[in-house]
Structures are given as C-alpha cells and as structure tokens.
Amino acid sequence: LVGALDDAGFTKTAAISQQIVIQSFDAESLRTVKRLRPDLTLVQLLYASGEPIAPATLGDIASYADGIG
C-alpha cells in the first residue's frame, strides 16, 4: 500500500500526504504503515460489539493510530 501511494505521487509532499487517511481492521497492518510512513493518518476500524472499549485497548491503539472508527 505504501509503495503504491508513493508510486502514484500521493506522498510526494506533506500537503498531499496530509489528505490521506488509511483505515483498517488489521492492527498489524496499521503498525507497519506507521513504521514506514509515520506522516500518514491512520484509523483503527473496530467491530461494533455494544461493549465499551477497554482503556488499555484504547491506549494500545493510540500508539499507532490517530483515531478509531
């Protein structure tokens, strides 16, 4: 994904890359993108279970994602 964005010129400048939001249900994928391109905005998608999200889980997500959805 990161290579495809780079090849297409979507990460050429900060003004362009700031418009990109990558969303995924896969935390490991988001961690990889964060490691490769920390300037991109990442959103951890969650399945709606009806239960509150544990504070420890939110803390973990905050270590690699900019938001949840």
Side-chain angles (χ1 to χ4, degrees):
L1 174 64
V2 171
L5 290 170
D6 289 343
D7 291 346
F10 288 118
T11 57
K12 190 175 283 189
T13 67
I16 296 171
S17 66
Q18 289 175 352
Q19 297 178 47
I20 296 171
V21 177
I22 297 173
Q23 302 179 69
S24 179
F25 286 102
D26 187 348
E28 202 54 45
S29 293
L30 292 174
R31 284 185 178 100
T32 299
V33 173
K34 181 71 166 188
R35 189 178 71 251
L36 296 172
R37 291 302 304 253
D39 57 317
L40 298 177
T41 301
L42 307 178
V43 175
Q44 175 68 61
L45 298 176
L46 303 172
Y47 294 100
S49 67
E51 297 295 319
I53 302 168
T57 301
L58 291 174
D60 180 49
I61 292 171
S63 71
Y64 62 84
D66 301 293
I68 57 173

